[in-house]
Amino acid sequence: MTWADHIIAYYKGLTPPQALPGGIEWLYPQQQPQVMEVVERFYKKYYSDTRERTLLLGINPGRFGAGVTGVNFTAAKQLTTYCGIAHPFKEQSELSAEFIYDMIHAYGGPEAFYQDFFIGSVCPLGFVQRGRNINYYDDKELLKTVEPFIIKSLETLLSYQADRSYCICIGREKNFRYLTRLNEAHNWFKTIVSVPHPRFIMQYKRKEKDSYILKYLDVLKKK
């Protein structure tokens, strides 16, 4: 089994709770055949091997990035421009994806980056409430409902060739605190380090983007 086999099976096998509180709905694009076709092409291109990889874990997918393409922190424009993968989606970008792919370019490009790292999420599926993104930690009842799914999904993700010595958490506050709490209970990783979330950087620190890319690279190289 390769990483590609593992991740494709992982997305096809997700079994999220059907009922969510407060009118919240799942964002599960991999259920759509056209999305899953793109997901399979992406992972077969970059992950058709058995190398050990370090995980970067974001919060959960949003509507305009992975919520469209099915690939974490990758909007339609990045699929085309950086990855050379054809797709049926509207050619739009997304702030977090823009930062991540500028960082990946600085690392050496998608081939170099993806042979060393896998970008996932603490919760592999996203959420929408009244047409807007919501994070797993934004609603106490939501988190209570989905926590067993989060734990099961992370353990499934980690069941393949993941580096258990080092994990990079994307998001320094709530995501990092929650992942740290889970790790204390389940002993998944020896060390978890955090980096600022790309959306925060692009919204509030855009003029300092290059310095934040260097900070990311410094964390990646310490793995």
Side-chain angles (χ1 to χ4, degrees):
M1 173 181 282
T2 66
W3 264 96
D5 296 327
H6 176 64
I7 297 304
I8 291 166
Y10 170 75
Y11 281 118
K12 287 182 176 179
L14 292 174
T15 54
Q18 293 302 306
L20 296 177
I24 299 170
E25 299 176 351
W26 284 105
L27 191 61
Y28 190 178
Q30 293 87 355
Q31 286 184 313
Q32 303 170 32
Q34 64 178 4
V35 175
M36 201 60 209
E37 182 181 343
V38 171
V39 169
E40 291 187 17
R41 290 209 305 272
F42 177 88
Y43 286 108
K44 287 177 180 178
K45 180 172 183 176
Y46 294 113
Y47 289 86
S48 290
D49 59 66
T50 60
R51 294 172 60 96
E52 183 178 77
R53 286 174 167 84
T54 299
L55 302 186
L56 290 87
L57 295 177
I59 302 166
N60 45 245
R63 289 177 297 149
F64 301 116
V68 173
T69 66
V71 180
N72 285 296
F73 286 95
T74 305
K77 184 176 180 180
Q78 285 72 38
L79 271 180
T80 304
T81 304
Y82 287 90
C83 304
I85 294 177
H87 57 76
F89 314 125
K90 181 181 177 182
E91 195 75 5
Q92 61 185 7
S93 188
E94 191 266 342
L95 286 178
S96 293
E98 290 175 12
F99 177 86
I100 287 294
Y101 274 84
D102 284 346
M103 180 274 293
I104 287 174
H105 177 74
Y107 187 84
E111 289 82 4
F113 180 83
Y114 288 126
Q115 73 176 0
D116 292 333
F117 300 97
F118 174 82
I119 305 182
S121 298
V122 170
C123 185
L125 303 179
F127 308 95
V128 177
Q129 185 180 45
R130 292 185 288 276
R132 303 186 66 179
N133 289 331
I134 182 172
N135 296 321
Y136 69 82
Y137 52 64
D138 288 334
D139 183 287
K140 290 182 179 179
E141 286 302 311
L142 173 63
L143 180 55
K144 181 179 178 181
T145 301
V146 303
E147 185 166 286
F149 170 70
I150 288 174
I151 292 170
K152 180 181 178 181
S153 299
L154 283 171
E155 290 182 338
T156 301
L157 180 62
L158 286 164
S159 66
Y160 193 56
Q161 298 285 72
D163 179 3
R164 299 293 194 99
S165 68
Y166 194 74
C167 175
I168 301 167
C169 178
I170 300 175
R172 281 188 161 171
E173 297 183 2
K174 294 179 181 179
N175 198 42
F176 178 61
R177 289 198 297 270
Y178 181 69
L179 182 59
T180 298
R181 177 170 73 79
L182 289 186
N183 192 57
E184 288 171 351
H186 298 278
N187 298 308
W188 291 322
F189 306 104
K190 183 178 179 181
T191 303
I192 301 177
V193 297
S194 65
V195 290
H197 198 280
R199 177 160 289 277
F200 166 81
I201 296 168
M202 296 296 279
Q203 282 188 323
Y204 303 109
K205 302 287 184 178
R206 187 186 285 262
K207 292 181 180 179
E208 302 171 47
K209 183 182 73 171
D210 289 346
S211 68
Y212 277 99
I213 287 174
L214 292 176
K215 291 177 182 178
Y216 262 68
L217 295 180
D218 185 56
V219 170
L220 297 179
K221 291 172 182 177
K222 289 179 178 178
K223 74 176 185 68

